[in-house]
Amino acid sequence: MLFGFSSVFSQNKKVFTVILDAGHGGKDPGNSYHGFVEKEIALKTVLKVGDYLKNERNIEVKYTRTTDVFIELANRPKVANNAKANLFVSIHCNSVKNPAPHGTETFVMGLSRHDMNLEVAKSENSVILLEKDYKRKYQGFDPKKPETLIGLTMIQEENLNNSISLASGIQNNFTKKLNRSSRGVKQQPLWVLDAAYMPSVLIELGFLSNKTEGKFLNSNEGQTKMAKQIADAIIDYKRRYFGTGDSDSYEKDSNKKTTKATASKKGDSAGQIYKVQVLASPKKIKLVPGNFKGLKDISYEFLNNLYKYMYGSTSDFQEAKNLQLEARNAGFLKAFIVKVKE
């Protein structure tokens, strides 16, 4: 039952709820290098992200912690689940023994054999060992043994696709708007993401072990800049998947803007084409109906290291809405309409 829930229950909420999770805290300082302390940087950045989001209409922000307290790992996603949140965003800082590595990276739930990624998973999961009765609570999971990580899997298809979409937006903002070095979007078996019922990401702001990067992240300017880009990515995600909040849905809002165009038998001008995006994946998927819940007429585009798969193609917005309904009825419950050029 625990892992059988879908994020779909929160899709129709008028208020878009975001849970911000500042990694570590209290007796768990996280990474510490050159006088830079992860728990402090994560909290300050999280609070700044929250301040930006609170300025937006129809966004509710909740935190797992707002002070320097220890929060058990199992309780962090519970905050999001109890709130029936739309997103869970956990913020951390990286470190390694080598002072050279630098750059941001954002993780979604999944399995990887990459040694560096596995070290991140073990590090972020190891907080479990600070908790009382952790062996019973986590049912034998040992964060120091890679083989026990195999039990953590992302069980909800739409959650993973949407998590990747948000993670890509965050990384793109860091790179394009702040010129930060990007280590990309990666999948890892992180307990805090696995237990959340909604799209979730874990952001590593950079390496505290790199003195230059650590100094930037430890500064008010650095935290403000990073927070702004995270908030902007969340806001953009909300607009793409849930609309502006000024109408009941993205589709209704878009329909108001295209009434004249859709009334024309010729459809939109300037070669405007509508398609329905059903999923996004870092891997290329063979275009056969069996891979898309029986849907035919699937196309894709490769953008920002993601394959974006779309159903149908039409110049009529009303027909596009019908295609969207077909996609959702097939099982792609968060399928949304996108505009492309011929």
Side-chain angles (χ1 to χ4, degrees), residues 99-261:
H102 63 284
T104 66
E105 52 191 350
T106 301
F107 290 87
V108 298
M109 188 58 202
L111 293 175
S112 171
R113 296 177 182 272
H114 194 288
D115 291 341
M116 176 68 79
N117 292 358
L118 195 56
E119 287 305 310
V120 171
K122 289 193 290 184
S123 173
E124 300 301 355
N125 288 327
S126 64
V127 65
I128 289 170
L129 300 178
L130 297 177
E131 300 178 22
K132 296 180 180 179
D133 199 21
Y134 77 89
K135 290 184 178 179
R136 178 191 63 79
K137 188 182 301 180
Y138 296 96
Q139 300 178 348
F141 172 77
D142 186 343
K144 292 186 176 181
K145 294 182 179 179
E147 60 267 27
T148 67
L149 298 175
I150 302 301
L152 297 178
T153 56
M154 190 63 179
I155 47 78
Q156 217 284 331
E157 182 180 90
E158 275 98 14
N159 278 357
L160 179 56
N161 293 327
N162 290 1
S163 298
I164 292 172
S165 179
L166 174 61
S168 298
I170 292 168
Q171 286 300 123
N172 287 342
N173 281 2
F174 287 158
T175 303
K176 295 179 180 179
K177 298 182 180 180
L178 294 183
N179 200 30
R180 307 302 299 174
S181 176
S182 175
R183 299 170 66 89
V185 174
K186 301 175 181 177
Q187 293 180 260
Q188 268 305 305
L190 299 167
W191 187 284
V192 73
L193 301 184
D194 178 73
Y197 300 159
M198 67 291 303
S200 311
V201 299
L202 185 147
I203 304 165
E204 296 283 1
L205 298 173
F207 286 78
L208 302 186
S209 47
N210 182 295
K211 196 167 185 178
T212 301
E213 189 159 73
K215 185 177 181 180
F216 173 76
L217 297 176
N218 196 52
S219 69
N220 180 65
E221 178 187 9
Q223 293 158 10
T224 300
K225 287 182 176 180
M226 297 295 279
K228 176 67 163 59
Q229 299 314 317
I230 295 170
D232 283 352
I234 292 172
I235 293 166
D236 181 63
Y237 173 95
K238 175 185 176 292
R239 288 172 180 163
R240 286 186 289 117
Y241 285 87
F242 293 82
T244 62
D246 295 329
S247 60
D248 291 337
S249 67
Y250 167 84
E251 299 82 61
K252 289 183 180 179
D253 185 61
S254 299
N255 196 25
K256 291 177 183 178
K257 298 176 182 178
T258 57
T259 301
K260 293 182 180 179

